[in-house]
Amino acid sequence: MLSYKHAFHAGNHADVLKHACLAILLNKLTQKNKPLSYIDTHAGSGLYNLNSDDARKNAEFADGIDRLLAARDALPALQTYLSVVRSFRDQEQYPGSPALAAQLLRPDDRLILMELHNNEFANLKHHLGHDPRAACHHRNGLEGVLALCPPTPKRGLVLIDPPYELNDEYVQITTTVKQLHRKWPTGIIAIWYPLLAHARNQAPHMLKHLVKDKPANLFVAELWVKAQDSEFGMHGSGMAFINLPWQVDEQIRGVLAQLEKTLTGKGGGSRSEWLVAPSHR
Ligand code: SAM
């Protein structure tokens, strides 16, 4: 039984980290005059109404995207993300990863969007189904990504953004990533993960496994907005990347510093590092 609903969290600090990184990547990839594939294994609704009861329940966006939009000194590396988000925010909306990608991709690019939950899939179809570049699949994204990759066009990026509500989800992800990287060695893989209380924090374990599988390279960026609790709660999140393009690590480091300054409170912080260095460095 799937109970996770992203609308409760739309635009929070974790979305900001994930989507700011996604925008940097798509911005970089669309500079080259060659079409690309964007694959979202856990697409969600595609777009969120910030006036809905769900989004307003804890109003997580107030300490996330709204704080960043109010900051006066946004870095150039954040401009692409902020300009898309601002146009949605003006209509009381926040773009999920599919809507953000759809805004940044070009007419010849392709979106493959997978979502398992019935209601979320219906929302996804409603929001993105009319886009001729997008194929929406009502299916398990971890199985789907292996079935559909390498995609056509073969140049591209996979976002893996699960809810981590099942015990074995971390293991499923490392297994899938290992197979995917083998099937599509040039594909960029971006994995979001939560940073949880000591008792439940499985992220270090997952990263260790990803490293053990010997990817060509692995870069991580993490942001935590408060101190880690011993029992409950999520204090931050991270993004792990395989095949991060040249110089994007430096842009992400800059953005991380700004997010730390703008979104964190007491006990907050950030880190970024190559866990497996690429051979060209
Ligand atoms: N990527 C979206 C974004 O950034 O806007 C948010 C995705 S949300 C964190 C995770 C989504 O994965 C939920 O909508 C959930 O219903 C869906 N989901 C859970 N397990 C799945 C699976 N095995 N395959 C595809 N979708 C799944």
Side-chain angles (χ1 to χ4, degrees), residues 1-6 8-9 117 120 163 165-166:
M1 176 64 186
L2 297 167
S3 57
Y4 180 89
K5 220 175 168 190
H6 195 67
F8 289 110
H9 312 293
H117 192 289
E120 303 293 290
E165 58 182 350
L166 304 172

Side-chain angles (χ1 to χ4, degrees), residues 127-182:
H127 292 131
L128 274 298
H130 62 278
D131 188 327
R133 303 167 302 170
C136 300
H137 299 258
H138 191 188
R139 68 183 296 180
N140 181 330
L142 295 179
E143 285 170 16
V145 73
L146 292 177
L148 300 170
C149 286
T152 309
K154 205 171 170 182
R155 192 173 159 257
L157 155 70
V158 177
L159 173 65
I160 301 179
D161 181 23
Y164 296 92
E165 58 182 350
L166 304 172
N167 275 341
D168 63 348
E169 226 160 345
Y170 292 89
V171 175
Q172 282 181 25
I173 286 150
T174 51
T175 310
T176 305
V177 167
K178 185 179 179 177
Q179 290 173 262
L180 178 61
H181 188 39
R182 198 173 290 158

Side-chain angles (χ1 to χ4, degrees), residues 13-273:
H13 59 86
D15 260 6
V16 169
L17 172 67
K18 171 182 38 182
H19 296 152
C21 290
L22 179 60
I24 290 173
L25 270 169
L26 291 177
N27 200 17
K28 174 83 177 182
L29 291 174
T30 51
Q31 279 165 19
K32 200 169 177 177
N33 191 16
K34 269 189 159 183
L36 66 98
S37 299
Y38 168 73
I39 298 143
D40 208 321
T41 57
H42 297 70
S45 284
L47 178 63
Y48 300 91
N49 174 1
L50 295 183
N51 251 338
S52 68
D53 289 346
D54 290 349
R56 285 162 60 104
K57 184 151 190 257
N58 298 319
E60 293 185 20
F61 56 85
D63 284 333
I65 189 56
D66 280 2
R67 272 211 212 176
L68 192 62
L69 285 171
R72 283 161 194 270
D73 53 349
L75 291 173
L78 274 169
Q79 289 310 333
T80 303
Y81 168 59
L82 288 180
S83 68
V84 173
V85 169
R86 199 167 273 123
S87 65
F88 282 95
R89 187 67 186 92
D90 288 346
Q91 301 168 63
E92 303 289 340
Q93 292 175 329
Y94 181 79
S97 47
L100 177 64
Q103 288 292 317
L104 298 177
L105 291 172
R106 304 154 300 179
D108 288 342
D109 296 328
R110 193 170 164 226
L111 295 95
I112 300 175
L113 309 171
M114 292 176 266
E115 170 58 45
L116 193 55
H117 192 289
N118 294 347
N119 291 343
E120 303 293 290
F121 181 73
N123 292 337
L124 179 68
K125 276 292 267 189
H126 176 73
H127 292 131
L128 274 298
H130 62 278
D131 188 327
R133 303 167 302 170
C136 300
H137 299 258
H138 191 188
R139 68 183 296 180
N140 181 330
L142 295 179
E143 285 170 16
V145 73
L146 292 177
L148 300 170
C149 286
T152 309
K154 205 171 170 182
R155 192 173 159 257
L157 155 70
V158 177
L159 173 65
I160 301 179
D161 181 23
Y164 296 92
E165 58 182 350
L166 304 172
N167 275 341
D168 63 348
E169 226 160 345
Y170 292 89
V171 175
Q172 282 181 25
I173 286 150
T174 51
T175 310
T176 305
V177 167
K178 185 179 179 177
Q179 290 173 262
L180 178 61
H181 188 39
R182 198 173 290 158
K183 279 192 84 175
W184 187 23
T186 57
I188 300 167
I189 306 174
I191 309 150
W192 179 88
Y193 55 89
L195 297 176
L196 301 174
H198 284 289
R200 302 191 307 124
N201 199 26
Q202 294 196 50
H205 215 61
M206 183 175 86
L207 294 177
K208 241 184 233 164
H209 273 278
L210 287 172
V211 171
K212 223 164 118 195
D213 288 337
K214 298 193 170 50
N217 52 72
L218 184 70
F219 182 76
V220 292
E222 295 182 349
L223 174 77
W224 53 98
V225 294
K226 56 186 179 185
Q228 185 177 26
D229 196 80
S230 57
E231 297 281 343
F232 304 106
M234 180 176 96
H235 58 291
S237 68
M239 292 290 292
F241 303 92
I242 293 177
N243 292 336
L244 194 68
W246 171 242
Q247 293 177 332
V248 171
D249 55 335
E250 286 312 317
Q251 288 184 49
I252 290 179
R253 285 189 210 278
V255 162
L256 210 50
Q258 168 136 41
L259 296 185
E260 183 177 340
K261 193 168 90 185
T262 317
L263 303 185
T264 68
K266 193 163 170 262
S270 69
R271 77 158 178 145
S272 59
E273 65 178 293

